[in-house]
Structure formats: C-alpha cells, structure tokens
Amino acid sequence: MHAATNSTPRSTRPIVLRTYSKIIRTLAAGMSCFMAVCAGAAIPDPVAVYAFNGDLESSIPGAPALQVVESSGGEFFDNETFASRTTGTWSWEMGTGLMLDTSNLRTGPAWSVGMTFRLDSVLSYNKLLDTQDRALDTGWYNDPGFAFEFFPGAAGNELFFADQEVTAIIVYDGETATGYLDGVPASDSNGVADADISAAETLHFFIDDLGTSNFEVAPGTVAAIFFWDAELDPADIAALLPLPQLIEPCSSADVSLPFGITDLADIGAFVTGFTSGDPIADLDCNGLYDLSDIAIFVTAFTAGCP
C-alpha cells in the first residue's frame, strides 16, 4: 500500500496553492462578514460530547467519561432514530442514571448542558438534572403537569409527555439558570441559589436526589449529552438543535467541531489538513490532495448543512 501523496506536480503546485488560497480567502471573508452581522453566529464549542456509540466516553479528548449511578444491570446501548437519523443511544431503568464530573471542564462561572432524550413514563415528578450532588431536592424536572421546570423556581410553560423525543438545554449565566425545551424558554431558577453546580462539581442525569430516596425518576433513553464551558444564548441554542445532528459531520465541508454547522473552523481545519496531507482533507478518498478535494470542499461549504 502506498502512502497518500500530493498528486500536483512540483511545477504547478504554486498555481494550485495560489488558487486554493484565493478560494479560502474569499470564503473566509464571506464568513467573517456573516459572523460580524449575525448575532450569536460564533457558537461556543462544547468541551464534552457524549454520543453513546457503545460506550460512555466523550468524543472530545480530555473530557471524562460518564459514570453509571445505581446500576440495575438493565441499562443498555442501542442504535435508534432520534432527530430523524440513526444514532447511538443508552437506555436506563427506573432508579439508574448518569454522572458527569465537571471539575476539569469549567473555567468560569457560566456553563451550559444539553441532552436529547425521551422518558418511557412521566408520573409525578421525574428528575432530569441534579446540580447539587444529589444532596438537595433542587433541580430540573418533568413535573406532575408534564412541564419542564426548575424546582423550586419559575413554573414551567413547556410540556412533554411519555415517549416524546425532546432536547433540553440548561444555561447558567453565573446567577440564573434558564431551561429551554426544544429551543423554547421553559423555566428559570428565579433567584434560587442552588441552581449552579455545587462544590462537588458533579452533574447527575435522570436520577433523583437521596433526600427523596431516589423516588422521583423514570426510565428512558438518551441520544446525546453536550457540555459547554460557556453561556449559550437563544440564537446559539436554535442553531444547535437537534443535538444528535451534531454528533457526526453534516457534509463533506463539516470537518471541525462543533458538527452541524459549516464555519471558519472548518476552513481552518481543511487548510491545515490539505497542506499537511491529513486524510481529513482527502475528500474524494483517493489518497491524493489536489483541486478535486478543493472543489468538493467549496461546493459542500457553500451549500451549508442540510
């Protein structure tokens, strides 16, 4: 097997590179203009992404793996349709959940977390996210009226029911936590002090606090969990939905995280890959790095994500 090479003759490579550079400069200029005039276009990159492709590892190097809490032995991985695409999933039984250690993920007071999931039942309160190391009843729930809300905070105004696929994103700005259900503001912490992640630096998903004996829970399935070391704004959230689409690239030009958008990060990654002979830039998969790859990238980039 021969190593991948750049097929362009030495005598013509300067022409190719000049052509390539002009294309990239044009794209970059257009994107810079777009990002300057479109509020919220520079979406923060996640620092941890969990796709449940047979394990609980993050696809971003350095982020910790999720940990199963109070395993029943009945949890399992599968492939299911979420957000109209086949994706990895993890299902749990009532009383089992997941824990994320955020101690090495946060650098400031603001943070955001998102999850795409469904519950098999929605009886009484069902805890979805606990920020207090399971020491308090405070947290994010599906309440007895089927509303997504922070307790004890503002009453929720967005509903979801059993077997309904939803994406919940919680944003903490350093003072207040706001929850979005499928991109719509649903509830906030309304001045409650315990909305931030506690000193234990843990987030617990789909499992109740110990004060209520882990009673307010439901079985279900999760397709994606994202964590950002930043405050997402409403425009960011709208652009990110639905989360499972971000697990894999949306086009040949989507070569850099976060997947699901084509932006300057993709241009930079393609430039670096093309000049260094990285397979990320071999878009026609023929082992060569030439104008064919550039044409594929340009076409895919200008078309954007579906």
Side-chain angles (χ1 to χ4, degrees), residues 113-143:
V113 64
M115 46 192 174
T116 296
F117 65 96
R118 69 169 180 265
L119 298 181
D120 295 342
S121 62
V122 286
L123 303 175
S124 185
Y125 280 95
N126 301 286
K127 200 162 198 178
L128 306 173
L129 183 71
D130 181 285
T131 64
Q132 299 299 305
D133 203 38
R134 304 183 68 198
L136 299 174
D137 207 20
T138 302
W140 292 90
Y141 291 83
N142 175 273
D143 73 12

Side-chain angles (χ1 to χ4, degrees), residues 222-240:
V222 60
I225 292 178
F226 280 53
F227 186 84
W228 293 266
D229 180 32
E231 173 191 352
L232 298 179
D233 64 29
D236 295 335
I237 293 169
L240 288 167

Side-chain angles (χ1 to χ4, degrees), residues 186-242:
S187 179
D188 62 59
S189 57
N190 197 26
V192 175
D194 297 320
D196 192 9
I197 299 172
S198 73
E201 286 289 350
T202 61
L203 287 176
H204 285 85
F205 301 87
F206 315 118
I207 192 166
D208 198 14
D209 53 274
L210 299 174
T212 52
S213 302
N214 196 25
F215 177 75
E216 296 172 337
V217 291
T221 298
V222 60
I225 292 178
F226 280 53
F227 186 84
W228 293 266
D229 180 32
E231 173 191 352
L232 298 179
D233 64 29
D236 295 335
I237 293 169
L240 288 167
L241 295 177

